Amino acid sequence: MTEETPGFSESDEPDVPSGATPDDAEPKAAPSPDKGEGAAPAGDAAAGAASAVQNVGLTAQLDQVRMALGERTADLQRLQAEYQNYRRRVERDRVTVKEIAVAGLLTELLPVLDDIGRAREHGELVGGFKSVAESLEVVAAKMGLQQFGKEGEPFDPTIHEALMHSYAPDVTETTCVAILQPGYRIGERTIRPARVAVAEPQPGAQPAKGESSKGGESAAADDKESGGPDEG
């Protein structure tokens, strides 16, 4: 005979499905609301503000880098221009120094060239002396030496030096009638003027034959138009 607990019956026990554990029969507490859901909008705003501040900082840094790059580029361009100007000056000075040196050397050789020219005029340039003289003249020509001065050309005080002066009836302007010493130049630079004898038109000289006949024809034409010369 079994004892029954007073005040408790089998009908008062909760229904438990077959095969379920006692824990399944315990009532489950209702899930509490998530505290993070209400705070989510505030977190997003803070993150956006931080991102905006970061973007502003990066933009400022980028502007500083661009400014520094522009300054360095300008410095580089300025240095390059100065270097190019320096190279041009050095090249110009080098050419000038070379021309001065060549001109100085050739100036010292001019008396020798004059002697060679006089020997050629007198027929004394023969044999081995002729070969040496011609070789010297070829070398001087290769270095840029040019001889100038011819009889009959107009007198130019920038390249001629008049050592003798006379009058001649057959010239219409100051003319070089004799080359006493040839002139020499290197390119456009004259290192010695040509020394010449010049002649000027004769003072009070009659005009040339062609001009005289032309004047006579003109006078005859005038007489014809006026009815001829006056009769005695």
Side-chain angles (χ1 to χ4, degrees):
M1 184 176 180
T2 59
E3 295 180 0
E4 294 182 358
T5 303
F8 184 80
S9 63
E10 293 181 358
S11 60
D12 294 334
E13 294 180 356
D15 296 335
V16 178
S18 60
T21 61
D23 295 336
D24 296 337
E26 295 180 357
K28 295 182 180 180
S32 61
D34 190 0
K35 296 181 179 181
E37 291 180 359
D44 293 342
S51 178
V53 171
Q54 185 177 6
N55 290 337
V56 171
L58 292 176
T59 302
Q61 292 181 0
L62 181 60
D63 292 339
Q64 292 178 356
V65 171
R66 288 176 176 173
M67 184 179 299
L69 179 61
E71 293 176 354
R72 299 299 179 271
T73 303
D75 293 340
L76 180 60
Q77 292 175 348
R78 183 170 56 254
L79 290 175
Q80 185 176 8
E82 292 177 356
Y83 176 68
Q84 294 295 335
N85 293 333
Y86 168 75
R87 286 188 59 185
R88 283 192 290 267
R89 287 195 303 270
V90 169
E91 182 65 19
R92 183 171 60 250
D93 294 343
R94 185 184 67 82
V95 173
T96 302
V97 170
K98 181 181 178 181
E99 290 179 351
I100 293 173
V102 171
L105 173 61
L106 294 177
T107 302
E108 296 297 327
L109 290 177
L110 293 184
V112 179
L113 297 175
D114 292 336
D115 293 338
I116 292 174
R118 283 189 291 268
R120 182 179 287 111
E121 291 176 358
H122 292 84
E124 298 176 357
L125 197 63
V126 293
F129 177 59
K130 179 180 179 181
S131 299
V132 174
E134 291 176 351
S135 298
L136 180 60
E137 290 175 338
V138 169
V139 172
K142 287 182 178 179
M143 297 178 69
L145 185 66
Q146 299 176 358
Q147 180 179 324
F148 65 90
K150 295 181 180 180
E151 295 182 4
E153 63 185 6
F155 176 75
D156 184 353
T158 61
I159 60 174
H160 296 139
E161 181 181 353
L163 300 182
M164 298 177 63
H165 176 271
S166 63
Y167 294 96
D170 57 345
V171 297
T172 58
E173 60 180 344
T174 305
T175 306
C176 300
V177 294
I179 305 300
L180 306 178
Q181 199 174 47
Y184 289 95
R185 66 165 63 99
I186 300 176
E188 299 297 328
R189 180 181 179 182
T190 300
I191 62 176
R192 191 183 75 181
R195 290 163 181 165
V196 300
V198 299
E200 291 182 351
Q202 187 73 30
Q206 296 295 327
K209 183 177 180 182
E211 295 180 357
S212 178
S213 61
K214 184 177 180 180
E217 293 175 1
S218 177
D222 292 339
D223 291 342
K224 185 176 181 181
E225 290 179 0
S226 61
D230 295 338
E231 296 180 355

